[in-house]
Amino acid sequence: MSLNKTSGLALLLILIGGLVLFNKLGFHFHIMGYLVPLAIAGLGYVGIRNGKKIGWFFMILGIVILAAKLSWLFSIVFAVLLIGFGISMIKRQTNSGRYDI
């Protein structure tokens, strides 16, 4: 089987259909909540490429919805960055040449 643009789209549709079917059968992957904003942003990208101004609206809407869905990940990354910054501040303070005895 040779893959081209049409067969790639067909495989993508089969994958999405399988995920929907698994969800209806009770296997929850929670991926559909991420696919819809990605599809909206993708349609916006296609609209922008075709010169339609409405594409910008759909692109921004999809990105905002996706950012809201991924807010839990952003908060974890932010917490790890705060911890790392605090540790680096402590190390910098102890390596500054001051020796408290």
Side-chain angles (χ1 to χ4, degrees):
M1 178 175 101
S2 65
L3 291 178
N4 56 21
K5 197 173 194 178
T6 307
S7 61
L9 178 62
L11 289 174
L12 181 68
L13 290 175
I14 290 169
L15 177 71
I16 291 172
L19 288 173
V20 171
L21 183 63
F22 279 143
N23 190 19
K24 294 300 178 186
L25 292 175
F27 301 104
H28 300 287
F29 295 114
H30 301 289
I31 195 95
M32 294 306 292
Y34 299 106
L35 284 179
V36 172
L38 282 173
I40 292 172
L43 287 173
Y45 176 74
V46 170
I48 292 169
R49 297 265 301 175
N50 289 332
K52 307 288 184 193
K53 294 196 186 261
I54 191 92
W56 285 104
F57 171 74
F58 284 114
M59 181 83 148
I60 292 170
L61 180 68
I63 290 172
V64 167
I65 294 172
L66 190 61
K69 291 275 186 182
L70 294 175
S71 64
W72 63 272
L73 181 64
F74 297 147
S75 64
I76 291 172
V77 169
F78 183 67
V80 168
L81 288 174
L82 284 176
I83 292 169
F85 184 67
I87 291 172
S88 71
M89 285 178 65
I90 290 172
K91 284 184 179 181
R92 193 175 331 137
Q93 188 178 29
T94 58
N95 292 336
S96 65
R98 290 188 339 201
Y99 295 106
D100 295 330
I101 299 178

